[in-house]
Amino acid sequence: MAAPREAPERRPFGRRFLTDPARLFQHNAWDNVEWSEEQEASARSKVQENSSQLLPEDKQEEYEVNAKRYWDDFYKIHENGFFKDRHWLFTEFPELAPNRNPSQNGNSVHELSNKEESNNEGLGRCENGHCSLGTRAENQLNLIKSTAKICTEELAAQNYSELNHSDGDYPGSSSSYRILEVGCGAGNTVFPILQTNNDPGLFVYCCDFSTTAVDLVQNNAEYDSSRCFAFVHDLCNDQSPFPMPDESLDVVILIFVLSAILPEKMQHVVDRLSRLLKPGGMILLRDYGRYDLAQLRFKKGQCLSDNFYVRGDGTRVYFFTQDELHDLLTTAGLEKIQNLVDRRLQVNRGKQMTMYRVWIQCKYRKPAAAQP
């Protein structure tokens, strides 16, 4: 049985809260907007409606079997122009910034750039789960380093099997602070970290299910193999190897990634990632929350199972509660540092539209090794 839900942690967006509807279209966003009982009941009703018709099992199996192809197609279409670089990371997750302090901001959260978050995971380009090309995000990454070669899973398995992890013979083995980003996409998290954090002991690993996504990272002009290692990886496959040994990572980053995995495989994935952490290492997670606008916009026939949907492009998404994420992470042996819900009102002043977004942010730590 899940533990009783704690009162959600709150934070102000500046000093403004939504109090006067007449002022709606004067500002871009409000943090931690309280939902009325009617609003939550309406959201629940929409979810019941759009999940009343599930896709047939054979169709669901097709989306699982071909998941890699759908994500490859996504990145071939959007390349690196779909998301903006996540420079807000260092505010939300100071563990990634220079002069890191592992105990800093354990329970406090700072203001997040609504513009960047909106462009990262917003719905301006996605209606009812169907993503269109739309306009490219600003400041696209410059893909001019064409000589880098892709590291396929098959080649990676061969190369990693030759590494002697026990002797420290692996990429980044001489580094003092190691970060792994899972689901790196085109590098919108990796490159801000490499650009901002000049710690000489830093080494960043990044992986993605999509070969196309990893190719984008490796061919980026900012890719530095002395500080970063990008590789293709299937989290759900035990035979898909990691290039580093267990208990070698200080941080694992999961940003809008766990939600793309089949729900019954999530625990296995979190367990695998937990084993990679050093004692005291942390998982930093941000993902979609229950009743987010993206969930409410799905139509009948797009639901795979409870709170799990397929988008028009074949990629899938799950919408979490705080309790669900807490159970996944603690079952993997991690301790809660932070688990908060971020309910945000975003306003498109041009279209006179209001959008209620719901995200969940977590920090969970591997217990420190017991003293002898």
Side-chain angles (χ1 to χ4, degrees):
M1 180 179 297
R5 176 179 296 181
E6 299 178 9
E9 301 170 49
R10 300 294 184 188
R11 64 187 182 212
F13 177 68
R15 295 183 179 179
R16 298 185 183 277
F17 292 90
L18 179 61
T19 55
D20 182 0
R23 299 170 59 190
L24 263 179
F25 301 103
Q26 298 177 20
H27 303 283
N28 288 325
W30 288 261
D31 248 0
N32 294 312
V33 175
E34 297 287 348
W35 282 27
S36 67
E37 292 183 5
E38 292 79 9
Q39 185 177 1
E40 185 151 353
S42 175
R44 188 180 303 109
S45 175
K46 288 181 180 179
V47 168
Q48 290 174 347
E49 179 181 355
N50 68 25
S51 60
S52 60
Q53 178 183 334
L54 300 182
L55 266 71
E57 289 188 10
D58 59 337
K59 191 67 175 178
Q60 295 197 35
E61 180 66 19
E62 176 188 333
Y63 286 119
E64 174 67 9
V65 171
N66 296 315
K68 180 177 174 63
R69 177 171 63 84
Y70 287 122
W71 279 110
D72 278 337
D73 289 346
F74 173 88
Y75 285 108
K76 286 175 183 176
I77 293 171
H78 298 291
E79 294 181 343
N80 64 320
F82 191 71
F83 302 121
K84 289 194 68 175
D85 287 353
R86 292 162 168 159
H87 294 289
W88 53 264
L89 282 168
F90 309 106
T91 300
E92 294 297 313
F93 301 129
E95 296 82 3
L96 304 176
N99 302 317
R100 59 187 178 272
N101 180 351
S103 63
Q104 183 180 3
N105 295 326
N107 293 306
S108 64
V109 182
H110 300 279
E111 176 183 325
L112 180 66
S113 167
N114 290 277
K115 179 179 179 181
E116 290 184 347
E117 183 76 5
S118 177
N119 285 334
N120 272 320
E121 319 301 339
L123 294 174
R125 301 176 181 85
C126 300
E127 297 293 334
N128 300 323
H130 295 267
C131 297
S132 62
L133 284 172
T135 58
R136 301 286 183 177
E138 298 175 1
N139 300 322
Q140 295 185 23
L141 298 175
N142 182 16
L143 299 180
I144 63 175
K145 188 177 178 183
S146 60
T147 58
K149 295 182 179 180
I150 190 66
C151 178
T152 64
E153 286 189 51
E154 292 79 9
L155 180 58
Q158 178 182 347
N159 290 341
Y160 301 159
S161 66
E162 298 172 357
L163 297 178
N164 187 343
H165 287 170
S166 63
D167 291 338
D169 185 14
Y170 60 91
S173 58
S174 61
S175 301
S176 59
Y177 197 73
R178 303 185 195 95
I179 296 172
L180 166 64
E181 189 205 3
V182 180
C184 62
N188 303 93
T189 295
V190 170
F191 292 118
I193 292 175
L194 293 173
Q195 293 161 2
T196 303
N197 193 332
N198 295 318
D199 181 349
L202 173 70
F203 195 87
V204 181
Y205 306 90
C206 57
C207 65
D208 202 282
F209 192 33
S210 167
T211 302
T212 303
V214 175
D215 196 18
L216 289 169
V217 173
Q218 291 186 335
N219 283 280
N220 188 280
E222 306 248 353
Y223 184 73
D224 180 356
S225 60
S226 69
R227 304 183 68 215
C228 181
F229 185 76
F231 60 102
V232 177
H233 186 81
D234 181 357
L235 279 174
C236 300
N237 182 4
D238 281 332
Q239 303 305 311
S240 183
F242 288 109
M244 77 292 288
D246 289 350
E247 298 195 350
S248 62
L249 298 179
D250 295 275
V251 174
V252 172
I253 306 170
L254 285 168
I255 299 180
F256 299 100
V257 169
L258 197 59
S259 54
I261 294 170
L262 196 66
E264 49 263 40
K265 295 184 178 181
M266 290 178 182
Q267 187 64 64
H268 176 71
V269 166
V270 176
D271 290 345
R272 288 191 72 201
L273 295 174
S274 176
R275 289 196 294 268
L276 294 175
L277 290 173
K278 299 176 181 176
M282 296 180 66
I283 285 184
L284 308 179
L285 180 149
R286 188 169 177 86
D287 221 319
Y288 296 101
R290 191 69 46 85
Y291 304 146
D292 177 65
L293 179 61
Q295 182 177 18
L296 304 187
R297 285 187 169 181
F298 280 107
K299 301 297 185 183
K300 287 183 179 179
Q302 291 181 274
C303 188
L304 302 169
S305 59
D306 288 347
N307 305 298
F308 190 47
Y309 301 82
V310 61
R311 301 183 179 98
D313 59 9
T315 63
R316 297 167 299 174
V317 59
Y318 186 86
F319 296 87
F320 292 98
T321 66
Q322 289 174 278
D323 290 340
E324 287 173 337
L325 286 170
H326 179 78
D327 289 344
L328 286 169
L329 292 159
T330 54
T331 299
L334 306 179
E335 301 173 337
K336 173 188 161 186
I337 303 299
Q338 179 189 84
N339 183 328
L340 64 87
V341 61
D342 182 3
R343 297 181 186 271
R344 183 167 304 182
L345 169 62
Q346 295 179 341
V347 177
N348 183 323
R349 290 178 291 182
K351 296 182 179 180
Q352 300 284 291
M353 290 174 54
T354 60
M355 300 179 291
Y356 288 91
R357 307 308 311 271
V358 182
W359 297 299
I360 299 176
Q361 182 168 301
C362 296
K363 299 181 187 182
Y364 280 70
R365 182 168 55 202
K366 193 170 189 174
Q371 297 297 322

